Amino acid sequence: MNLLATYIATSLASVPWTAERVAEKAVERSPEIMAAAAERRSAGASTEAAESLLLPRVQLSARYTRLSRIENDPLVALGVDFDAARANVAGIGDVNTRDALKQQIGILEGLDGVTIGVPTDQYSLNASVTLPISQVLFEALPALQAAKRGEQASDLEIAAARHAVALGAVEAYYQHFLAQRALRIAELSVASATTAEAQARSRVAEGLSTEADLLRFVARRAEASRLLAARQADVDRSAAAVRVLAGIGGAGPLPLAPLPTVPREMAASAEEAIQRRPELRALRKVLASQRARARAFEGGVLPQLSASFEVISADPNPNFVPPPDGFDTNWQATALLSWSPDGAWRASRNGTAAWREADALAARVEALEDAVRIEVASEAAGMRAAQARVLAAEEGVEAAREGWASISRGFELGVFDATDLIEAQLELERARLARIDARVARRISAARLWTALGHSVLNP
């Protein structure tokens, strides 16, 4: 199993890397994108919290109370001698009057000294539903809109981070590509200088050249060796940058695929870029979110209207007089209109501050739009310059090659000396390096322009 894993890892490591593959790896492991994704999850939680404000307030409660014994005074303390009253009534001659008074005396006698007992064990079950009507309409709904706009802004910020990370990885890749090609030219230069030095030594030995000519070739070979060491350092540095960005293990140069074909022509429309760029769209969403927050604050200035419905089941139920023995249930519906001067003042101040932040964001949107216009124009000009540079570099290589061939033949015939040949060799090497540099610069310019127009280099 370990051998198979080693074989797979070795095979993958030997696969030539392309700019797109490096960019994909960089996007997969980018800390910036991970941070943006975490902020997106936080924005989603904020939306869920805002949605909860739209729900009615439901409250359920159960209560038990134990009271100490309470001695109550009588409800009615008449202080009447009922025996004497009945004796007086008995002397009344009218039968109807006598019977009515006897009945009243009996009722009063039953009420005399009566008390209402307070139970020491009390139970209560309550259920209520409250709908804050004005708060939902003028505060919760704008707050929910603000949260959703913030969530959309987070999505766009992730896209912007992906674009930036991908572009950075592509640029690092092409810098490594250029460093490897420059190293190859430096190696050829050392080999050429070493060969030329050996030939010069042979001519000196044959008496066809002077020691001074040989020293020039020795100096040329030493300079080529110095440049080779510098180019090797460039390869090591650029390889380390690519490996870190893309999370590629190991060390040293990466196997690279051949330079891609010439990038396609792109219409550099600044206005289209303004509508497409994810960071600009994200900032617009943040602005819309801030304006919704300001409206939510302003909702707190208005009077608060709420409606509630409550069911009470209690033993004893205080809403019944006298309270019955055992549980009894009743309900109540309430509409409440309230207004708090200090709360309205705080809401007004918060709303003013939120609107000022929105004005600042609107100014940032305008500034970023101008920056995008400038960036698109600059990258388009850079792309045109890169195209012209490639054409010039191709001509330069052809001219330098013909010049070196002509001087080389003349050197063999004794028309030119060693200095002329060395200069021709240096000129050809510089022309070759300039051509590679121009081709890489064209690819980088194309990637920058594509990104400036609001696209990702991962989606050409």
Side-chain angles (χ1 to χ4, degrees):
M1 187 67 179
N2 291 336
L3 291 175
L4 178 60
T6 302
Y7 173 76
I8 294 174
T10 303
S11 299
L12 291 176
S14 62
V15 175
W17 287 86
T18 64
E20 289 73 17
R21 185 181 170 202
V22 168
E24 289 173 356
K25 292 292 184 181
V27 167
E28 288 176 3
R29 52 90 53 201
S30 168
E32 292 85 353
I33 296 177
M34 293 180 185
E39 292 179 0
R40 170 63 177 81
R41 292 191 292 271
S42 176
S46 298
T47 299
E48 293 176 356
E51 288 174 344
S52 67
L53 298 176
L54 302 179
L55 301 175
R57 314 294 189 261
V58 179
Q59 184 175 6
L60 303 175
S61 65
R63 181 173 60 86
Y64 166 75
T65 304
R66 173 71 180 182
L67 294 178
S68 62
R69 182 174 179 79
I70 298 176
E71 297 293 341
N72 291 320
D73 293 331
L75 291 176
V76 180
L78 299 177
V80 176
D81 186 349
F82 292 102
D83 292 334
R86 278 192 291 269
N88 291 331
V89 170
I92 298 175
D94 184 63
V95 177
N96 293 331
T97 302
R98 187 172 59 248
D99 291 341
L101 290 175
K102 285 182 179 180
Q103 185 178 5
Q104 291 180 7
I105 290 173
I107 294 173
L108 290 174
E109 188 175 14
L111 292 174
D112 188 32
V114 171
T115 62
I116 297 178
V118 179
T120 56
D121 294 304
Q122 298 182 0
Y123 306 89
S124 176
L125 300 175
N126 294 66
S128 65
V129 178
T130 302
L131 180 61
I133 299 173
S134 60
Q135 186 179 17
V136 167
L137 293 176
F138 303 116
E139 295 182 56
L141 285 176
L144 177 60
Q145 186 182 29
K148 288 184 175 179
R149 294 293 184 273
E151 198 172 356
Q152 294 167 354
S154 296
D155 289 334
L156 292 168
E157 286 169 356
I158 291 176
R162 289 174 60 88
H163 287 196
V165 169
L167 177 61
V170 166
E171 291 180 343
Y173 171 89
Y174 282 123
Q175 291 299 331
H176 186 48
F177 186 98
L178 177 62
Q180 286 199 27
R181 294 305 181 270
L183 176 63
R184 177 57 179 161
I185 290 178
E187 290 172 345
L188 294 175
S189 178
V190 169
S192 175
T194 301
T195 300
E197 179 183 351
Q199 293 174 349
R201 290 185 184 278
S202 297
R203 288 194 294 271
V204 168
E206 295 172 0
L208 301 176
S209 184
T210 65
E211 189 70 26
D213 291 334
L214 174 61
L215 292 176
R216 292 190 184 97
F217 282 101
V218 172
R220 170 70 185 98
R221 192 258 308 155
E223 176 62 14
S225 299
R226 185 192 67 80
L227 289 175
L228 176 62
R231 296 291 182 259
Q232 183 62 60
D234 292 340
V235 169
D236 294 339
R237 283 192 292 266
S238 59
V242 173
R243 289 183 180 276
V244 170
L245 287 175
I248 304 172
L254 296 168
L256 303 181
L259 194 66
T261 57
V262 177
R264 66 179 180 180
E265 294 290 334
M266 289 172 280
S269 172
E271 298 308 314
E272 180 182 352
I274 287 174
Q275 299 304 318
R276 187 187 295 273
R277 288 282 286 267
E279 63 270 38
L280 188 50
R281 293 167 60 198
L283 190 57
R284 292 195 190 100
K285 293 295 184 181
V286 173
L287 173 59
S289 174
Q290 183 62 28
R291 287 171 174 168
R293 288 183 64 246
R295 290 194 296 272
F297 282 127
E298 288 181 339
V301 178
L302 303 174
Q304 303 296 303
L305 174 64
S306 63
S308 64
F309 180 81
E310 183 177 9
V311 177
I312 303 172
S313 182
D315 176 21
N317 191 322
N319 293 320
F320 290 83
V321 179
D325 186 14
F327 278 91
D328 214 335
T329 304
N330 73 294
W331 60 267
Q332 62 184 28
T334 305
L336 176 64
L337 183 65
S338 63
W339 185 72
S340 170
D342 59 308
W345 183 84
R346 285 193 297 271
S348 176
R349 299 282 73 77
N350 289 334
T352 300
W355 279 116
R356 288 174 180 171
E357 291 181 16
D359 292 339
L361 284 171
R364 287 179 56 193
V365 169
E366 293 183 4
L368 186 54
E369 288 177 351
D370 289 342
V372 168
R373 291 187 180 95
I374 295 172
E375 181 181 357
V376 170
S378 175
E379 296 301 340
M383 185 63 184
R384 291 191 296 271
Q387 295 279 26
R389 183 180 173 188
V390 168
L391 296 177
E394 295 287 355
E395 294 177 356
V397 169
E398 188 62 28
R401 183 184 294 111
E402 293 179 359
W404 174 83
S406 176
I407 292 176
S408 179
R409 289 191 297 271
F411 178 77
E412 293 175 356
L413 297 174
V415 177
F416 298 105
D417 59 13
T419 302
D420 296 325
L421 183 58
I422 291 173
E423 289 298 327
Q425 290 175 336
L426 289 174
E427 188 63 28
L428 179 57
E429 291 166 6
R430 283 194 291 264
R432 288 171 174 169
L433 183 58
R435 181 175 61 183
I436 294 175
D437 190 25
R439 290 176 176 176
V440 170
R442 180 174 57 185
R443 296 298 306 182
I444 293 176
S445 293
R448 288 176 176 173
L449 178 57
W450 190 244
T451 303
L453 293 174
H455 303 279
S456 171
V457 294
L458 295 177
N459 299 304

